[in-house]
Amino acid sequence: MEETGRERKAAGPPPWAPTKSTVFRSYAAAVVGDRAEAPSARGNGVAARSSNLRAVRKRPIVARLTRDIVQTFEKCNPEFNYVDSLNPKHFLTSPAVPVHNDGLDNANSDLILYVNLELVNKKSDRRYIVEEMLGQGTFGQVAKCWDAETNSYVAVKVIKNQPAFYQQAIMEVSLLSMLNDKFDPDDQHHIVRMLDFFPWKNHLCITFEMLGHNLYELLKKNNLRGLQLQFVRTFSRQILDALIVMKGAGIIHCDLKPENILITPKVNSAAGVKVIDFGSACMEGKTIYSYIQSRYYRSPEVLLGYPYTTAIDMWSFGCIVAELYIGLPLFPGASEYDVLSRMIEIVGGQPPDDLLREAKNTRKFFKHVGSIYPGNEAHDGLCSSYRVLTEDEVEARDSKKPKIGKWYFPRGRLDRLIFAYPWKNLNEGNLPETEKEDCLALVDFLRGLVEFDPNKRWSPLQASYHPFITGEAFTGPYEPFRETPVIPVGRAATVDHNPGGGHWLAAGLSPQGWKH
Ligand SMILES: Nc1ncnc2c1ncn2[C@@H]1O[C@H](COP(=O)(O)OP(=O)(O)OP(=O)(O)O)[C@@H](O)[C@H]1O
């Protein structure tokens, strides 16, 4: 492998000289400190750096020890050979050991990111200066970067250098640019904005507007105690708004969870959220993968291997709404069997027989017990010819016990769980009248979302008229209006592989990868 800058040793600085890292750090600190203190007062990043240096030019001794320090060292020791790439780096990627891509990537094919690394869109010469790590996920890393052109922070997702991740990221770019440009041009529907995308050192980089904490982090900050109902309502309304747009476009998000809903910077002191991470998204009717959604938020039809639609996002949404209120995941199963068992226990009932008959994985979880299984009030009070397997039956079949997680809240049905929250006093009669009505509305709302039958589960538009969302008085179980099926606008058209009106090739990309 070619020797990389990180592996080479610096050549002969004078023994008394400050290390280059000290020099580098003081320079970096000046730039970063400046950025943090007065972001709007500065010109672009480069200008800010040179004005910093201009300031010291007037003071020769200071200049010699800062701007001209390399020359100073070279004068003191002719063997001193300053190489910029030898500066010690503050690595953000873990592990930071170079393995692939000429030493630029680690063993996981992640670009090794460090503070002040520049990610450059070569077509536009736009530079993004890496500052800190925001998240490391399946598809790559998300770093907070300084956009020197706009003098603002952005979040840059650096996709892993592997064809499968590249292909999926191309899909993310396609779907998100379609959503941004065609379905939400005025940025009103709580979907993250994509700002740029470009190849960098064999990695696809996608630049997004900078958002705040995700909802899981928010719940953690609140000691997993759940949010006030007014916030649950506000966030739910906004997520629904995004889901209405996605359904209209025929896009299934496929990974809706609290980690993928981010708080927006406050506008007029109002709290807001946006949906992010379209890295698993697909078009309705063009579903390829069967292993999708994060386990706690996985819908029954995906667990069971049944053809899925945008309704799977509504299941995940229901799980998120409940979690925002109780502070804990609704179905935190340690295995798919555990998740399904919890669904059956908490929601009551089970998936309808026609779904179970056609689903590919039914036998993983259910036993066929004949045409009618007496006493198995499975769905809508109807008997079922399927019965969920007991733990012992699963163990006998698989020769190992199914993984079963801990219960972090009292076992019981959804209504009791919501009414009795925070479970100090399990007597729901103690709730003040107004809270009781809110809770009744919330329970009724959740029932329409965590509905086993995807055909009966409410659509985002239907859910958006529920009193829990509109804030109207809750007078009894909500009956959604009948929604006439429409062909989503996005589904009628094929996915735009030329997003943003630009050209893949002009951006240095091709749907096959830039090496083609
Ligand atoms: N626009 C943004 N602003 C601020 N933080 C962000 C932004 N986008 C992503 N993040 C942070 O990075 C994390 C990972 O982002 P994202 O979900 O897009 O990546 P991923 O590789 O698909 O992750 P995962 O595998 O967990 O789904 C998010 O949970 C969030 O904390």
Side-chain angles (χ1 to χ4, degrees):
M1 196 181 65
E2 200 180 294
E3 195 182 30
T4 66
R6 263 175 37 75
E7 288 159 343
R8 290 211 314 266
K9 296 268 180 291
W16 48 266
T19 62
K20 276 171 263 173
S21 70
T22 328
V23 178
F24 179 76
R25 277 199 207 107
S26 54
Y27 175 68
V31 174
V32 174
D34 178 45
R35 189 181 296 171
E37 274 164 34
S40 56
R42 242 192 357 260
N44 67 31
V46 177
R49 289 174 192 205
S50 48
S51 72
N52 255 340
L53 298 178
R54 242 177 272 128
V56 296
R57 204 166 282 159
K58 294 180 192 132
R59 295 149 64 196
I61 294 177
V62 177
R64 231 168 279 139
L65 290 174
T66 54
R67 186 195 53 169
D68 299 333
I69 194 143
V70 173
Q71 290 90 320
T72 309
F73 287 163
E74 279 166 353
K75 272 187 199 153
C76 297
N77 178 359
E79 279 175 40
F80 176 72
N81 176 18
Y82 176 76
V83 183
D84 192 48
S85 61
L86 294 181
N87 280 321
K89 290 163 184 159
H90 177 181
F91 291 106
L92 301 171
T93 303
S94 172
V97 182
V99 175
H100 304 299
N101 198 13
D102 294 334
L104 295 171
D105 296 356
N106 66 13
N108 306 329
S109 302
D110 272 316
L111 183 66
I112 300 171
L113 300 179
Y114 52 89
V115 175
N116 277 350
L117 170 71
E118 287 195 351
L119 306 170
V120 185
N121 180 342
K122 285 193 185 155
K123 294 282 163 192
S124 60
D125 201 33
R126 202 157 166 177
R127 280 151 202 279
Y128 303 97
I129 304 159
V130 173
E131 195 150 295
E132 66 184 70
M133 187 67 87
L134 292 170
Q136 258 185 298
T138 327
F139 292 92
Q141 312 161 85
V142 182
K144 180 177 177 179
C145 295
W146 180 250
D147 179 350
E149 192 170 300
T150 58
N151 277 338
S152 58
Y153 284 112
V154 290
V156 182
K157 189 164 176 172
V158 185
I159 304 296
K160 281 181 197 284
N161 179 7
Q162 275 178 12
F165 292 112
Y166 171 80
Q167 290 296 339
Q168 193 54 37
I170 290 280
M171 190 59 132
E172 176 167 15
V173 172
S174 304
L175 297 178
L176 199 50
S177 50
M178 176 165 103
L179 281 172
N180 280 177
D181 301 344
K182 294 195 181 137
F183 291 88
D184 185 18
D186 298 323
D187 189 13
Q188 295 191 324
H189 296 291
H190 308 282
I191 295 170
V192 67
R193 304 305 285 185
M194 186 179 71
L195 307 174
D196 195 6
F197 60 93
F198 54 94
W200 178 249
K201 307 286 181 196
N202 290 330
H203 291 264
L204 175 58
C205 298
I206 315 174
T207 306
F208 300 98
E209 65 177 314
M210 182 70 202
L211 299 169
H213 287 299
N214 66 50
L215 288 187
Y216 175 58
E217 287 164 341
L218 185 73
L219 288 174
K220 269 201 303 193
K221 274 183 180 243
N222 206 23
N223 296 320
L224 299 178
R225 270 204 303 263
L227 307 179
Q228 285 173 23
L229 214 96
Q230 74 196 75
F231 290 113
V232 180
R233 175 177 291 121
T234 304
F235 293 162
S236 301
R237 192 181 288 150
Q238 297 183 1
I239 301 165
L240 266 181
D241 188 15
L243 287 167
I244 291 171
V245 171
M246 286 186 241
K247 185 174 164 64
I251 291 174
I252 318 178
H253 185 283
C254 295
D255 197 17
L256 217 57
K257 57 182 175 181
E259 290 90 327
N260 284 339
I261 299 175
L262 267 52
I263 313 242
T264 53
K266 281 189 180 170
V267 181
N268 301 330
S269 74
V273 290
K274 282 196 172 192
V275 174
I276 66 155
D277 191 7
F278 289 78
S280 307
C282 66
M283 295 296 292
E284 212 169 22
K286 290 190 182 155
T287 54
I288 306 168
Y289 303 109
S290 53
Y291 192 63
I292 49 164
Q293 300 189 291
S294 297
R295 195 191 319 125
Y296 297 172
Y297 309 90
R298 195 168 294 155
S299 59
E301 56 269 37
V302 169
L303 281 174
L304 288 161
Y306 185 76
Y308 58 90
T309 63
T310 47
I312 64 167
D313 288 338
M314 289 306 282
W315 178 278
S316 309
F317 171 60
C319 300
I320 295 169
V321 178
E323 184 167 343
L324 291 182
Y325 186 68
I326 64 177
L328 298 166
L330 189 59
F331 308 122
S335 60
E336 289 201 320
Y337 173 79
D338 191 15
V339 170
L340 194 77
S341 308
R342 285 167 194 255
M343 288 176 182
I344 290 170
E345 184 165 343
I346 293 173
V347 176
Q350 65 183 41
D353 274 21
D354 52 356
L355 191 154
L356 292 175
R357 215 171 295 119
E358 285 167 39
K360 279 193 299 207
N361 306 332
T362 299
R363 286 187 343 167
K364 265 167 81 175
F365 309 104
F366 286 91
K367 186 179 169 77
H368 190 248
V369 286
S371 54
I372 287 184
Y373 175 64
N376 186 17
E377 299 243 322
H379 202 258
D380 290 347
L382 298 174
C383 292
S384 171
S385 41
Y386 293 88
R387 168 176 72 70
V388 74
L389 296 171
T390 62
E391 281 176 44
D392 289 343
E393 285 169 331
V394 175
E395 184 181 357
R397 183 195 60 197
D398 299 346
S399 314
K400 66 170 186 223
K401 276 188 186 302
K403 276 193 193 160
I404 305 293
K406 225 173 124 178
W407 279 73
Y408 293 95
F409 45 76
R411 295 178 84 129
R413 288 282 159 92
L414 187 63
D415 48 356
R416 207 168 132 69
L417 206 63
I418 299 292
F419 269 110
Y421 181 77
W423 310 307
K424 281 188 193 124
N425 181 354
L426 293 179
N427 181 3
E428 64 186 73
N430 287 346
L431 278 178
E433 274 312 305
T434 47
E435 272 184 47
K436 214 180 217 173
E437 189 183 309
D438 280 341
C439 281
L440 278 171
L442 176 58
V443 169
D444 190 66
F445 184 60
L446 290 173
R447 284 216 157 277
L449 306 175
V450 287
E451 156 64 57
F452 277 113
D453 187 344
N455 294 316
K456 291 188 181 154
R457 201 174 300 147
W458 298 339
S459 74
L461 194 64
Q462 287 174 323
S464 69
Y465 284 96
H466 190 281
F468 176 71
I469 293 297
T470 61
E472 287 164 317
F474 180 72
T475 50
Y478 172 67
E479 274 300 323
F481 60 91
R482 275 175 79 89
E483 206 176 11
T484 32
V486 281
I487 298 181
V489 186
R491 211 202 306 173
T494 48
V495 178
D496 186 359
H497 280 290
N498 188 10
H503 297 280
W504 287 108
L505 293 174
L509 306 175
S510 81
Q512 285 76 39
W514 41 70
K515 284 179 178 158
H516 291 258

